[in-house]
Amino acid sequence: MAKITYIEHDGTDHVIDVKPGLTVMEGAVKNNVPGIDADCGGACACATCHVYVDDAWLPKTGDKSAMEESMLDFAENVEPNSRLSCQIKVSDALDGLVVRLPESQH
Amino acid sequence: MWALSEAGTGDLNSRVVIVGAGHAGGSAAAFLRQYGHVGPIVLIGDEPLLPYQRPPLSKAWLKGEADAESLQLKPDSWYEEAGVSLRLGGTVVSLNRGAKTVTLSSGEHLPYDYLILATGARARALPIPGADLAGVLALRSAADAEALKGALGPGKRLAVVGGGYVGLEAAASARALGGHVTIIEREPRVLARVACETLSNFFQDYHGARGVTFELNAGVAGFEGAEGHVTGVKLSDGQVVACDAALVGVGAIPNEELARDAGLDCTNGVVVDIEARTADPFVFAIGDVTHRPLPLYDRQFRLESVPNALEQAKQAAAAIAGRPMPPHEIPWFWSDQYDLKLQIAGLPFDADRQVVRGDVAAAKFAVFHLKGDLVQAVEAVNAPPEFMAGKQLIAKRTPVSIEKLANPTISMKEVAA
């Protein structure tokens, strides 16, 4: 299990044990973390699972695909550390990951 | 944890009964808890399964790339933790709005303070000879998908009646598994009701190049069978398309009977307002079963999509929990076939011109539908910037330059600026 901390825009945090193999999005949705709706269920089609990855963790979360890049290009409140959480696969290496949720998704 | 508070009078303590445990119903329960609702919630579903995602059934799940657990909206444990009481495998046979109760097929009466109807839609059946043969399938539920999966594989012949999204997605999955596919469509083109001609022609060519054959302008007279199992689809002109299984994907019918019998207004779906409320202030309806306002297009319409289910689930949950209404969303849809990602935003109502941007032959393009210089809808194939920017343009109602829009060397950022 990897411990992932999801921090809502208002500062409320949710610390969740996520099974490796799931995505960071699935870890949130299956535990009803508010602010990650993931309309498309992980097809990288909607940008409703936008998160900010804590800088320290950026290298470990991997590279963005061209598809993810272009979806993020048009998402709201995008920052250099923005990711679509459906595109980050959870592994033991992500134990301790911290992600924050943007205001626009709440 | 979710017991009624002593005060027990606020909406957050209300007793909510949700009829239908699909994407809409399951999400409504989840949003109620997110919004601080602590009263009892009862979720009733006619399938013996916890709420799950239907879109992958015709795609990843059919190809064996997703399992049942990954399709579930929430894990088994969530419902108990969240105090959501389940009645799975049961149907509601009547709704008594005066007494504010529903009656289950088991005879159980459940009282409610608020009722959410999320009964969805069912696959339209063809009233033609042979429709009851084994191997004549629909694709709506996990059980349907399981049956279809069993009929696919190398060399297996699938006849698809109806060239809509379900049929095309299943055809792509069947081809990926090595089967033969014939799509039979009554209209002169696939996706005739739901996409523009450019998109129809593109999808037909793309499927054709990957081995799918088409019978267009073709009526279906019946199914032929041997020993109770389908062996072919008989067309109106007498020709028979031989098959090992036939998938019928000719649209869906809203499950509105419960609402109608209870005296609620139904017109191709349960009529609701912009808060997903029926004319009865204690009864909401959400998802595929609703005939809902589309403020942007100034009309009522029935949508079949996950984003619609989620939007209305939020509206009903927010109304019950006394939260501000979430912002209105632009209707949107998506489909995955082969290596194609189709994303559609808006609906082409009242559009008087189309602008194609990009390269259709290279499978990277978008068709914009405009009313004057306002974008009403966009259909984007492998073109996320066009989809995302198009969605924003539809919402903002700002005029665009047709010249810039049609020129793919000008970025969508600039077009939308």
Side-chain angles (χ1 to χ4, degrees), chain A residues 19 29-30 32-34 37 39-41 43-47 67 70-71 73-75, chain B residues 30 34 53 69 72 74-75 78 306 310 314 332 334 341 343 384-385 387-388 392 413:
Chain A
K19 202 164 78 177
V29 169
K30 289 188 187 286
N32 211 20
V33 174
D37 287 348
D39 287 14
C40 76
C44 198
C46 68
M67 182 72 79
S70 51
M71 291 298 292
D73 255 353
F74 290 88
Chain B
Q34 285 187 18
Q53 307 177 63
E69 194 190 342
Q72 267 182 224
K74 303 280 186 260
W78 182 81
V306 168
L310 291 177
K314 278 186 206 170
W332 77 274
W334 85 95
K341 180 174 294 296
Q343 295 163 294
F387 166 74
M388 291 293 280
Q392 288 164 9
K413 284 240 156 108

Side-chain angles (χ1 to χ4, degrees), chain B residues 320-367:
Chain B
I320 291 168
R323 297 241 313 196
M325 270 299 126
H328 299 316
E329 290 179 29
I330 305 300
W332 77 274
F333 314 86
W334 85 95
S335 177
D336 293 321
Q337 297 165 40
Y338 309 105
D339 53 349
L340 302 175
K341 180 174 294 296
L342 170 66
Q343 295 163 294
I344 298 175
L347 294 154
F349 290 126
D350 311 319
D352 48 33
R353 73 170 111 186
Q354 294 178 10
V355 172
V356 179
R357 177 183 161 94
D359 186 352
V360 178
K364 194 174 173 58
F365 68 98
V367 184

Side-chain angles (χ1 to χ4, degrees), chain B residues 9-86:
Chain B
T9 51
D11 278 350
L12 291 175
N13 296 313
S14 57
R15 181 181 172 84
V16 179
V17 171
I18 304 172
V19 186
H23 215 129
S27 299
F31 287 129
L32 278 165
R33 292 304 187 226
Q34 285 187 18
Y35 296 167
H37 181 272
V38 292
I41 298 176
V42 184
L43 181 60
I44 306 162
D46 59 356
E47 294 175 69
L49 299 170
L50 289 167
Y52 60 90
Q53 307 177 63
R54 290 185 202 279
L57 292 179
S58 53
K59 313 177 188 91
W61 195 87
L62 215 47
K63 289 186 278 179
E65 295 163 4
D67 59 17
E69 194 190 342
S70 71
L71 294 198
Q72 267 182 224
L73 294 188
K74 303 280 186 260
D76 300 15
S77 57
W78 182 81
Y79 296 89
E80 199 184 336
E81 286 161 20
V84 174
S85 156
L86 299 163

Side-chain angles (χ1 to χ4, degrees), chain B residues 57-388:
Chain B
L57 292 179
S58 53
K59 313 177 188 91
W61 195 87
L62 215 47
K63 289 186 278 179
E65 295 163 4
D67 59 17
E69 194 190 342
S70 71
L71 294 198
Q72 267 182 224
L73 294 188
K74 303 280 186 260
D76 300 15
S77 57
W78 182 81
Y79 296 89
E80 199 184 336
E81 286 161 20
V84 174
S85 156
L86 299 163
R87 299 283 190 287
L88 299 178
T91 52
V92 172
V93 292
S94 68
L95 157 59
N96 184 335
R97 294 196 288 124
K100 294 173 86 174
T101 59
V102 293
T103 305
L104 273 63
S105 46
S106 63
E108 187 183 6
H109 295 283
L110 289 173
Y112 65 81
D113 297 315
Y114 292 102
L115 182 71
I116 301 178
L117 298 171
T119 46
R122 60 184 176 272
R124 184 185 298 276
L126 289 174
I128 54 173
D132 55 352
L133 287 167
V136 176
L137 309 170
L139 181 49
R140 191 82 204 164
S141 66
D144 293 339
E146 186 74 34
L148 178 59
K149 197 176 191 176
L152 302 181
K156 298 274 187 70
R157 298 163 303 168
L158 177 70
V160 177
V161 180
Y165 285 116
V166 166
L168 290 182
E169 289 173 1
S173 300
R175 287 296 298 142
L177 294 167
H180 303 291
V181 184
T182 303
I183 294 178
I184 301 158
E185 168 60 49
R186 184 180 59 182
E187 303 292 326
R189 61 183 174 98
V190 298
L191 303 176
R193 287 181 310 117
V194 290
C196 71
E197 211 170 327
T198 305
L199 205 69
S200 292
N201 293 340
F202 168 78
F203 273 99
Q204 191 186 323
D205 291 348
Y206 209 83
H207 277 267
R210 280 148 193 83
V212 174
T213 53
F214 290 88
E215 294 290 344
L216 301 174
N217 296 302
V220 174
F223 298 96
E224 301 201 324
E227 293 166 15
H229 197 281
V230 70
T231 56
V233 182
K234 188 171 185 186
L235 307 185
S236 314
D237 67 1
Q239 187 195 336
V240 175
V241 176
C243 65
D244 301 305
L247 171 64
V248 179
V250 292
I253 301 169
N255 295 319
E256 63 187 27
E257 290 77 3
L258 184 65
R260 197 188 321 122
D261 291 349
L264 293 167
D265 188 12
C266 295
T267 313
N268 181 28
V270 183
V271 175
V272 294
D273 67 14
I274 197 59
E275 298 188 355
R277 212 184 284 256
T278 67
D280 181 331
F282 304 107
V283 180
F284 294 82
I286 61 175
D288 288 7
V289 76
T290 66
H291 195 69
R292 55 159 292 173
L294 293 177
L296 182 68
Y297 302 100
D298 198 24
R299 68 189 75 205
Q300 293 267 140
F301 201 68
R302 193 169 72 80
L303 298 170
E304 290 174 10
S305 72
V306 168
N308 175 59
L310 291 177
E311 181 186 19
Q312 291 186 302
K314 278 186 206 170
Q315 290 170 349
I320 291 168
R323 297 241 313 196
M325 270 299 126
H328 299 316
E329 290 179 29
I330 305 300
W332 77 274
F333 314 86
W334 85 95
S335 177
D336 293 321
Q337 297 165 40
Y338 309 105
D339 53 349
L340 302 175
K341 180 174 294 296
L342 170 66
Q343 295 163 294
I344 298 175
L347 294 154
F349 290 126
D350 311 319
D352 48 33
R353 73 170 111 186
Q354 294 178 10
V355 172
V356 179
R357 177 183 161 94
D359 186 352
V360 178
K364 194 174 173 58
F365 68 98
V367 184
F368 288 85
H369 299 260
L370 297 105
K371 176 181 157 191
D373 49 11
L374 297 177
V375 178
Q376 298 289 86
V378 58
E379 300 163 306
V381 173
N382 292 338
E386 279 70 14
F387 166 74
M388 291 293 280

